[in-house]
Amino acid sequence: MGVQLTPKGPDRSLDPTAPYRRLLRLLADNAPMSSFDRLAEEIASGPGAAAGPDLLADIAVAARLRDTAEQKRKREGELTALYETARDLAGLRDTDQVLRAIVQRAKQLAGSDIAYLSAADDEHGDFYVRATEGVISRDFATIRVPRNIGVCGSVAKSRSPFQSSNYPADTQFDHDRGIDRATAGEGIVSILGVPLALETQVIGVLFVGDRYARSYTPHEIAVLSSLATFAALAIENARLLEEAQRALRMARQANAALQAKAEDVEEAAVAHEQLTELIARGGSLEDLTRRVSNLLRGEACMLDDRRRLTCGQLPVQLSDEDIAKAIRDSAVLGRSVPLQGSDGTVTRVAAVMGGSARLGALLLTRPKELSGSEIRTLERSALVSGIVLMSLERVAQATYRTVADLVAALLRGATDPFSPECARQLPSGVSLSWPITLLLVDAGEVPATRISSALRSALSARDTILAEFNGDVVIVTSAGNPSGLADRVCEVLDEAFHARFSIVISAPIPALEGVPVAYHALRRACGLMGTLGQQGRIVFEKTLSIYAMLFERKGEDAIEQFVMSAVGPIIAHDRRRKSRLAATLLAFMDNGHSLQKAAAAMGIHVNTMRQRLESIGEIAPNWNEAGRTLDIHLALRLHAIGRGA
């Protein structure tokens, strides 16, 4: 479109409207931007230069209008291309034709030298070139790219566009010699790849490339991403069409599959209705496992977060390691995992999640594998199990807060929680009465909340409650065998934390006023055990009470100094000679200075006992003085406790 820029006639330069008429013609003819620049130069150097600034500003506005119009035309072309692509896709033309048209439009819209599309090959685990435009070399169309190599691998990994302005020297991705030779043969310098994404899967990559260094604008990337979406739909539609055609060729099998599908949907609807009803009426985990067993015609069971059986029956044909791995895999995948039993049965394992926390697992065992709808029913049941467990946990937390308040009031001696007016605040099924026994679990480095959480389900008995208090876990029980209860606590904590915790047991407490005193005595005993280095033991407070009171608020080395000052030579002799003189003297004092009783306690002859006492007299001549007997006896007991005897 030629535009005459030189004035014609002698008076054209005197006409003030002439530049505007020329400017309008430039706009009407969609003249290039250089024409506007030349007009501005003429006006700036012409006779009307005095009026030039305003006119030059108008020319700049006109140039912007022209650029805006050009951008709109470009957008119109892009929208037209996208519309035509959508129309081609809706018309279900040949898939390869649709992909070739998409590649052609990508090259045109990006203004690039070449364009091509790589599709994922699930069978070989790589990408292959399916459509090209502007490619010169025939070998380029035979490229196969591994999923972790090149721009294709970067796009597939990140599921987002990736561009390089200097492909041969770019170190942002791993190169392959064969692929680099093919791109060098095409002279590719700049390249842009956008993913063909279908849900969470990248099924291909749409590329444009240029034989010079350039960058691609966000708008160009957005347009190519839209084309890539159409390409992904075309590939997926082709796959679905092939499946439909295959189904049409196998009408009888398809009808049977449709009928089975309808039955599955009906079963799933029934299962959903029953599970919903179960939640609505506050069903338990036992109700849920029975319902799942009936719905899926198998044997269901529930495991807690430490893989302990909660309800149902655990399949014996599976090892604990296999079940643990399946639970971990299910939690990561968000789907159930199958396990083949040694007897041919199939067990489906579905992790039960509560947010990001794993609450347990739901297992179903039966002779044959579950169908797709049955698997979804099992997974939905695991979801329902999570809801039930979280509901139970909320109830347990509320109950535990009430119990914690009762225990705190009890330990302070403020309220008798077992009185008739307070007993109703205890959890359902729990009934305690005086006398009671306190068990203090020294939490050490483990938060007391974690210890109490591990113990709550294991110690659910009508005669026992527990709570955190002053950083420790206090167990209140009216059971007749507190030592057995302490053993059970040790087993649970060892399984949960693989560590031993100190547990101190009080004497029976007959009434409320004795509780604070007993609690403080337990804490003193725990402190003494720590000083003696005897963590991880179960002891009765009465065996340590006198020592705990004597050495309360003393330095850590006070006990050692006392023991060594009283019986140090005897202990040193035992360590040097590997003898048992300290134990012999303690047995003699514990048995009222009776040679016969002490010998029987030690399992030795009386003459041997007499000889050992003579040896002790040689090492510590004044051990039998009346003023030192008590000190020596206390020191020997502390030494025995420190040795774990």
PDB file of all heavy atoms in Angstrom, residues 409-430:
ATOM      1  N   ALA A 409      -7.251 -31.972  90.149  1.00  0.00           N
ATOM      2  CA  ALA A 409      -7.890 -31.633  91.418  1.00  0.00           C
ATOM      3  C   ALA A 409      -7.566 -32.672  92.482  1.00  0.00           C
ATOM      4  O   ALA A 409      -7.360 -32.339  93.658  1.00  0.00           O
ATOM      5  CB  ALA A 409      -9.404 -31.528  91.220  1.00  0.00           C
ATOM      6  N   LEU A 410      -7.501 -33.943  92.075  1.00  0.00           N
ATOM      7  CA  LEU A 410      -7.172 -35.014  93.018  1.00  0.00           C
ATOM      8  C   LEU A 410      -5.756 -34.860  93.551  1.00  0.00           C
ATOM      9  O   LEU A 410      -5.515 -34.955  94.765  1.00  0.00           O
ATOM     10  CB  LEU A 410      -7.337 -36.369  92.317  1.00  0.00           C
ATOM     11  CG  LEU A 410      -6.908 -37.603  93.110  1.00  0.00           C
ATOM     12  CD1 LEU A 410      -7.834 -37.814  94.296  1.00  0.00           C
ATOM     13  CD2 LEU A 410      -6.895 -38.838  92.212  1.00  0.00           C
ATOM     14  N   LEU A 411      -4.786 -34.593  92.656  1.00  0.00           N
ATOM     15  CA  LEU A 411      -3.388 -34.502  93.083  1.00  0.00           C
ATOM     16  C   LEU A 411      -3.136 -33.277  93.944  1.00  0.00           C
ATOM     17  O   LEU A 411      -2.204 -33.262  94.758  1.00  0.00           O
ATOM     18  CB  LEU A 411      -2.475 -34.494  91.860  1.00  0.00           C
ATOM     19  CG  LEU A 411      -2.494 -35.762  91.009  1.00  0.00           C
ATOM     20  CD1 LEU A 411      -1.579 -35.625  89.809  1.00  0.00           C
ATOM     21  CD2 LEU A 411      -2.104 -36.985  91.832  1.00  0.00           C
ATOM     22  N   ARG A 412      -3.940 -32.233  93.759  1.00  0.00           N
ATOM     23  CA  ARG A 412      -3.808 -31.058  94.623  1.00  0.00           C
ATOM     24  C   ARG A 412      -4.562 -31.232  95.936  1.00  0.00           C
ATOM     25  O   ARG A 412      -4.480 -30.381  96.822  1.00  0.00           O
ATOM     26  CB  ARG A 412      -4.338 -29.823  93.900  1.00  0.00           C
ATOM     27  CG  ARG A 412      -3.534 -29.430  92.666  1.00  0.00           C
ATOM     28  CD  ARG A 412      -3.981 -28.076  92.138  1.00  0.00           C
ATOM     29  NE  ARG A 412      -3.288 -27.716  90.926  1.00  0.00           N
ATOM     30  CZ  ARG A 412      -3.774 -27.835  89.701  1.00  0.00           C
ATOM     31  NH1 ARG A 412      -5.006 -28.320  89.534  1.00  0.00           N
ATOM     32  NH2 ARG A 412      -3.073 -27.484  88.647  1.00  0.00           N
ATOM     33  N   GLY A 413      -5.352 -32.308  96.042  1.00  0.00           N
ATOM     34  CA  GLY A 413      -6.147 -32.520  97.243  1.00  0.00           C
ATOM     35  C   GLY A 413      -7.340 -31.604  97.335  1.00  0.00           C
ATOM     36  O   GLY A 413      -7.887 -31.400  98.422  1.00  0.00           O
ATOM     37  N   ALA A 414      -7.777 -31.050  96.189  1.00  0.00           N
ATOM     38  CA  ALA A 414      -8.867 -30.073  96.211  1.00  0.00           C
ATOM     39  C   ALA A 414     -10.241 -30.724  96.156  1.00  0.00           C
ATOM     40  O   ALA A 414     -11.183 -30.243  96.782  1.00  0.00           O
ATOM     41  CB  ALA A 414      -8.716 -29.104  95.025  1.00  0.00           C
ATOM     42  N   THR A 415     -10.381 -31.801  95.402  1.00  0.00           N
ATOM     43  CA  THR A 415     -11.700 -32.410  95.199  1.00  0.00           C
ATOM     44  C   THR A 415     -11.557 -33.920  95.171  1.00  0.00           C
ATOM     45  O   THR A 415     -10.593 -34.453  94.607  1.00  0.00           O
ATOM     46  CB  THR A 415     -12.317 -31.938  93.857  1.00  0.00           C
ATOM     47  OG1 THR A 415     -12.327 -30.524  93.825  1.00  0.00           O
ATOM     48  CG2 THR A 415     -13.741 -32.461  93.713  1.00  0.00           C
ATOM     49  N   ASP A 416     -12.539 -34.582  95.761  1.00  0.00           N
ATOM     50  CA  ASP A 416     -12.606 -36.040  95.692  1.00  0.00           C
ATOM     51  C   ASP A 416     -13.415 -36.413  94.449  1.00  0.00           C
ATOM     52  O   ASP A 416     -14.649 -36.322  94.448  1.00  0.00           O
ATOM     53  CB  ASP A 416     -13.279 -36.603  96.951  1.00  0.00           C
ATOM     54  CG  ASP A 416     -13.358 -38.125  96.911  1.00  0.00           C
ATOM     55  OD1 ASP A 416     -12.898 -38.726  95.922  1.00  0.00           O
ATOM     56  OD2 ASP A 416     -13.916 -38.713  97.863  1.00  0.00           O
ATOM     57  N   PRO A 417     -12.749 -36.839  93.348  1.00  0.00           N
ATOM     58  CA  PRO A 417     -13.499 -37.118  92.122  1.00  0.00           C
ATOM     59  C   PRO A 417     -14.331 -38.391  92.199  1.00  0.00           C
ATOM     60  O   PRO A 417     -15.114 -38.666  91.296  1.00  0.00           O
ATOM     61  CB  PRO A 417     -12.381 -37.258  91.068  1.00  0.00           C
ATOM     62  CG  PRO A 417     -11.190 -37.711  91.844  1.00  0.00           C
ATOM     63  CD  PRO A 417     -11.314 -37.081  93.199  1.00  0.00           C
ATOM     64  N   PHE A 418     -14.151 -39.176  93.274  1.00  0.00           N
ATOM     65  CA  PHE A 418     -14.893 -40.416  93.394  1.00  0.00           C
ATOM     66  C   PHE A 418     -16.118 -40.277  94.294  1.00  0.00           C
ATOM     67  O   PHE A 418     -16.826 -41.249  94.545  1.00  0.00           O
ATOM     68  CB  PHE A 418     -13.984 -41.528  93.930  1.00  0.00           C
ATOM     69  CG  PHE A 418     -12.621 -41.538  93.284  1.00  0.00           C
ATOM     70  CD1 PHE A 418     -11.467 -41.695  94.028  1.00  0.00           C
ATOM     71  CD2 PHE A 418     -12.495 -41.361  91.906  1.00  0.00           C
ATOM     72  CE1 PHE A 418     -10.217 -41.686  93.440  1.00  0.00           C
ATOM     73  CE2 PHE A 418     -11.248 -41.357  91.310  1.00  0.00           C
ATOM     74  CZ  PHE A 418     -10.106 -41.520  92.081  1.00  0.00           C
ATOM     75  N   SER A 419     -16.336 -39.067  94.806  1.00  0.00           N
ATOM     76  CA  SER A 419     -17.530 -38.836  95.613  1.00  0.00           C
ATOM     77  C   SER A 419     -18.764 -38.925  94.723  1.00  0.00           C
ATOM     78  O   SER A 419     -18.691 -38.721  93.505  1.00  0.00           O
ATOM     79  CB  SER A 419     -17.454 -37.455  96.269  1.00  0.00           C
ATOM     80  OG  SER A 419     -17.422 -36.444  95.275  1.00  0.00           O
ATOM     81  N   PRO A 420     -19.923 -39.213  95.290  1.00  0.00           N
ATOM     82  CA  PRO A 420     -21.139 -39.379  94.459  1.00  0.00           C
ATOM     83  C   PRO A 420     -21.443 -38.169  93.587  1.00  0.00           C
ATOM     84  O   PRO A 420     -21.878 -38.326  92.446  1.00  0.00           O
ATOM     85  CB  PRO A 420     -22.233 -39.615  95.513  1.00  0.00           C
ATOM     86  CG  PRO A 420     -21.506 -40.177  96.694  1.00  0.00           C
ATOM     87  CD  PRO A 420     -20.164 -39.516  96.710  1.00  0.00           C
ATOM     88  N   GLU A 421     -21.208 -36.956  94.080  1.00  0.00           N
ATOM     89  CA  GLU A 421     -21.562 -35.779  93.285  1.00  0.00           C
ATOM     90  C   GLU A 421     -20.576 -35.527  92.146  1.00  0.00           C
ATOM     91  O   GLU A 421     -20.904 -34.847  91.176  1.00  0.00           O
ATOM     92  CB  GLU A 421     -21.647 -34.531  94.177  1.00  0.00           C
ATOM     93  CG  GLU A 421     -20.363 -34.172  94.910  1.00  0.00           C
ATOM     94  CD  GLU A 421     -20.239 -34.880  96.249  1.00  0.00           C
ATOM     95  OE1 GLU A 421     -21.026 -35.841  96.483  1.00  0.00           O
ATOM     96  OE2 GLU A 421     -19.388 -34.480  97.054  1.00  0.00           O
ATOM     97  N   CYS A 422     -19.331 -36.067  92.245  1.00  0.00           N
ATOM     98  CA  CYS A 422     -18.328 -35.847  91.191  1.00  0.00           C
ATOM     99  C   CYS A 422     -18.149 -37.056  90.280  1.00  0.00           C
ATOM    100  O   CYS A 422     -17.607 -36.924  89.177  1.00  0.00           O
ATOM    101  CB  CYS A 422     -16.975 -35.504  91.805  1.00  0.00           C
ATOM    102  SG  CYS A 422     -16.956 -33.958  92.742  1.00  0.00           S
ATOM    103  N   ALA A 423     -18.584 -38.226  90.715  1.00  0.00           N
ATOM    104  CA  ALA A 423     -18.328 -39.449  89.955  1.00  0.00           C
ATOM    105  C   ALA A 423     -18.972 -39.415  88.582  1.00  0.00           C
ATOM    106  O   ALA A 423     -18.491 -40.070  87.652  1.00  0.00           O
ATOM    107  CB  ALA A 423     -18.824 -40.664  90.742  1.00  0.00           C
ATOM    108  N   ARG A 424     -20.074 -38.645  88.437  1.00  0.00           N
ATOM    109  CA  ARG A 424     -20.749 -38.597  87.139  1.00  0.00           C
ATOM    110  C   ARG A 424     -19.881 -37.938  86.060  1.00  0.00           C
ATOM    111  O   ARG A 424     -20.175 -38.077  84.874  1.00  0.00           O
ATOM    112  CB  ARG A 424     -22.076 -37.862  87.264  1.00  0.00           C
ATOM    113  CG  ARG A 424     -21.960 -36.396  87.615  1.00  0.00           C
ATOM    114  CD  ARG A 424     -23.322 -35.722  87.596  1.00  0.00           C
ATOM    115  NE  ARG A 424     -24.171 -36.252  88.639  1.00  0.00           N
ATOM    116  CZ  ARG A 424     -24.306 -35.696  89.838  1.00  0.00           C
ATOM    117  NH1 ARG A 424     -23.623 -34.589  90.135  1.00  0.00           N
ATOM    118  NH2 ARG A 424     -25.086 -36.234  90.737  1.00  0.00           N
ATOM    119  N   GLN A 425     -18.829 -37.200  86.452  1.00  0.00           N
ATOM    120  CA  GLN A 425     -17.946 -36.582  85.466  1.00  0.00           C
ATOM    121  C   GLN A 425     -16.916 -37.558  84.909  1.00  0.00           C
ATOM    122  O   GLN A 425     -16.262 -37.266  83.915  1.00  0.00           O
ATOM    123  CB  GLN A 425     -17.216 -35.396  86.091  1.00  0.00           C
ATOM    124  CG  GLN A 425     -18.127 -34.285  86.582  1.00  0.00           C
ATOM    125  CD  GLN A 425     -17.330 -33.126  87.157  1.00  0.00           C
ATOM    126  OE1 GLN A 425     -16.296 -32.743  86.625  1.00  0.00           O
ATOM    127  NE2 GLN A 425     -17.808 -32.575  88.253  1.00  0.00           N
ATOM    128  N   LEU A 426     -16.781 -38.721  85.556  1.00  0.00           N
ATOM    129  CA  LEU A 426     -15.857 -39.720  85.043  1.00  0.00           C
ATOM    130  C   LEU A 426     -16.393 -40.290  83.729  1.00  0.00           C
ATOM    131  O   LEU A 426     -17.592 -40.280  83.478  1.00  0.00           O
ATOM    132  CB  LEU A 426     -15.686 -40.846  86.063  1.00  0.00           C
ATOM    133  CG  LEU A 426     -14.918 -40.493  87.336  1.00  0.00           C
ATOM    134  CD1 LEU A 426     -15.032 -41.620  88.353  1.00  0.00           C
ATOM    135  CD2 LEU A 426     -13.449 -40.217  87.015  1.00  0.00           C
ATOM    136  N   PRO A 427     -15.491 -40.783  82.843  1.00  0.00           N
ATOM    137  CA  PRO A 427     -15.946 -41.377  81.582  1.00  0.00           C
ATOM    138  C   PRO A 427     -16.905 -42.524  81.826  1.00  0.00           C
ATOM    139  O   PRO A 427     -16.879 -43.179  82.876  1.00  0.00           O
ATOM    140  CB  PRO A 427     -14.636 -41.861  80.936  1.00  0.00           C
ATOM    141  CG  PRO A 427     -13.562 -41.048  81.569  1.00  0.00           C
ATOM    142  CD  PRO A 427     -14.028 -40.774  82.960  1.00  0.00           C
ATOM    143  N   SER A 428     -17.735 -42.762  80.827  1.00  0.00           N
ATOM    144  CA  SER A 428     -18.715 -43.838  80.930  1.00  0.00           C
ATOM    145  C   SER A 428     -18.011 -45.175  81.136  1.00  0.00           C
ATOM    146  O   SER A 428     -17.048 -45.506  80.443  1.00  0.00           O
ATOM    147  CB  SER A 428     -19.561 -43.886  79.650  1.00  0.00           C
ATOM    148  OG  SER A 428     -20.461 -44.957  79.695  1.00  0.00           O
ATOM    149  N   GLY A 429     -18.487 -45.945  82.086  1.00  0.00           N
ATOM    150  CA  GLY A 429     -17.910 -47.254  82.365  1.00  0.00           C
ATOM    151  C   GLY A 429     -16.766 -47.236  83.351  1.00  0.00           C
ATOM    152  O   GLY A 429     -16.261 -48.295  83.720  1.00  0.00           O
ATOM    153  N   VAL A 430     -16.315 -46.056  83.768  1.00  0.00           N
ATOM    154  CA  VAL A 430     -15.196 -45.957  84.714  1.00  0.00           C
ATOM    155  C   VAL A 430     -15.747 -45.741  86.116  1.00  0.00           C
ATOM    156  O   VAL A 430     -16.608 -44.887  86.335  1.00  0.00           O
ATOM    157  CB  VAL A 430     -14.247 -44.799  84.338  1.00  0.00           C
ATOM    158  CG1 VAL A 430     -13.177 -44.618  85.414  1.00  0.00           C
ATOM    159  CG2 VAL A 430     -13.607 -45.071  82.996  1.00  0.00           C
TER     160      VAL A 430
END
